[in-house]
Amino acid sequence: MMKEDTPESKDKKMAIATGDRAILPEGTKAIPIYIMGKRYDVPETLTILKAMEYAGFKFIRGCGCRGGICGACVTVYRKPGDYKIQVGLACQTVVEPNMYLTQIPFFPANRASYDIEELSAKPEDIFKLYPEVFRCVACNACTKACPMDIKVMDYIAAAKKGDIEQLAKLSFDCIQCGICASRCMAEIPQYHIAQLGRRLYGKYILPKAQHLKKRVEEITSGKYDKMLEMLKKMDKKQLEKLYVEREREPDDSEPGKWLPKDKTYL
Ligand code: SF4
Ligand code: SF4
Ligand code: FES
């Protein structure tokens, strides 16, 4: 998953000072952190992810978007004198002195197999695919662990009631990091249940966007095939020219009112 740099390359990095800032702010101190039990001294201004890279780790797994969206970098840590296990996204959480940390980039929770076309957004769809939802004992450990501050226990309660809309809405910000499942004494795969809820809600409950339906019909009827073929034949320079010279919407145009002069592809 991760590989350490040599001591030489680490020293070089100390001088260059990588991180969220190319140059560290004046007076930045090095603080000790413990990665999988080993001490590293890292600049206090870095996120955990950058601090680990600074310390010499290279990410092959456990890092994706670096923007708090993909859920790949979930990290557990404990601070000195605190019994509590803390959870954070490594790309968003700034290091603290003497934190002990490790990453859990993947948690092997049960994921049911289904064809969404064969479901119908009935509560039974959830109950049959994830009967373990009824094992929830409402301990709230999942909510406490969630780095996105999602009310996980509440969306599981919605799933138990078969309230698909509530399940989808409460879990909307889930980034599938999996840490809730790792803390669940009932071994419930909360985030997979939530994803099923959002899929059912999107496909069967949410009103369809008519303009999107129209556009999909146009695409499938072949309206854009000729244009796409033409674009595929262009080289990079021609594509760049086309992009640079495209007709742009003026900054001050009224929202939803502007139309290009060439309406061929509208
Ligand atoms: S609900 Fe679970 S999987 Fe989703 S972000 Fe929160 S802890 Fe991660
Ligand atoms: S951690 Fe598990 S048992 Fe506890 S509230 Fe969450 S889903 Fe229920
Ligand atoms: S790298 Fe994607 S959430 Fe941290």
Side-chain angles (χ1 to χ4, degrees):
M1 183 178 67
M2 292 170 286
K3 206 168 84 183
E4 285 185 64
D5 274 352
T6 60
E8 296 74 40
S9 61
K10 194 176 142 194
D11 287 349
K12 203 169 160 198
K13 280 188 184 169
M14 283 291 281
I16 298 166
T18 59
D20 296 318
R21 295 163 182 269
I23 299 168
L24 295 174
E26 203 176 328
T28 299
K29 294 189 206 75
I31 56 168
I33 63 169
Y34 294 82
I35 304 168
M36 290 184 282
K38 185 177 171 189
R39 175 177 166 152
Y40 296 88
D41 291 328
V42 299
E44 61 187 347
T45 53
L46 301 184
T47 60
I48 292 172
L49 191 70
K50 289 290 182 184
M52 288 180 77
E53 288 174 331
Y54 185 89
F57 290 88
K58 283 182 185 162
F59 286 91
I60 301 165
R61 298 268 190 280
C63 172
C65 65
R66 293 174 181 259
I69 299 294
C70 75
C73 67
V74 71
T75 303
V76 293
Y77 60 95
R78 197 192 295 277
K79 290 189 276 187
D82 189 355
Y83 71 91
K84 196 174 163 13
I85 285 280
Q86 312 271 351
V87 175
L89 297 173
C91 68
Q92 303 297 301
T93 310
V94 176
V95 288
E96 292 181 54
N98 294 309
M99 69 193 323
Y100 270 72
L101 64 89
T102 194
Q103 279 204 301
I104 306 183
F106 173 73
F107 190 79
N110 171 46
R111 184 160 62 90
S113 180
Y114 53 85
D115 179 348
I116 196 81
E117 302 291 340
E118 289 171 6
L119 303 179
S120 56
K122 289 197 195 97
E124 290 74 24
D125 287 337
I126 296 174
F127 305 158
K128 276 186 200 152
L129 289 165
Y130 291 107
E132 59 265 52
V133 75
F134 292 106
R135 288 205 304 258
C136 175
V137 293
C139 69
N140 210 27
C142 49
T143 301
K144 284 189 187 156
C146 179
M148 297 299 283
D149 291 332
I150 294 169
K151 291 180 173 151
V152 188
M153 187 180 77
D154 291 9
Y155 79 57
I156 289 299
K160 280 164 75 178
K161 282 194 280 179
D163 188 340
I164 292 169
E165 180 172 349
Q166 191 71 345
L167 170 61
K169 287 183 176 169
L170 286 176
S171 69
F172 187 77
D173 289 331
C174 174
I175 54 172
Q176 310 280 116
C177 73
I179 205 75
C180 49
S182 78
R183 306 304 302 276
C184 180
M185 67 172 81
E187 296 180 295
I188 295 170
Q190 296 92 333
Y191 56 109
H192 288 321
I193 297 172
Q195 189 176 52
L196 170 62
R198 293 194 300 278
R199 284 177 173 157
L200 292 174
Y201 183 64
K203 181 158 179 66
Y204 295 110
I205 300 173
L206 202 62
K208 295 276 170 290
Q210 290 310 310
H211 63 291
L212 180 62
K213 188 166 167 253
K214 180 171 165 267
R215 183 51 50 96
V216 171
E217 281 165 6
E218 284 170 352
I219 292 167
T220 49
S221 72
K223 181 172 176 180
Y224 301 101
D225 289 359
K226 215 170 144 193
M227 177 191 67
L228 286 169
E229 282 310 312
M230 185 184 79
L231 290 173
K232 272 155 61 181
K233 285 188 189 124
M234 287 183 176
D235 60 24
K236 196 177 163 202
K237 274 203 166 149
Q238 288 171 311
L239 285 169
E240 278 173 359
K241 185 169 181 294
L242 195 67
Y243 178 75
V244 170
E245 292 175 356
R246 75 193 187 281
E247 197 186 344
R248 299 180 202 205
E249 181 174 357
D251 289 340
D252 56 358
S253 67
E254 208 182 316
K257 296 283 179 209
W258 179 83
L259 289 174
K261 287 188 191 95
D262 181 0
K263 300 185 182 53
T264 321
Y265 298 114
L266 291 184

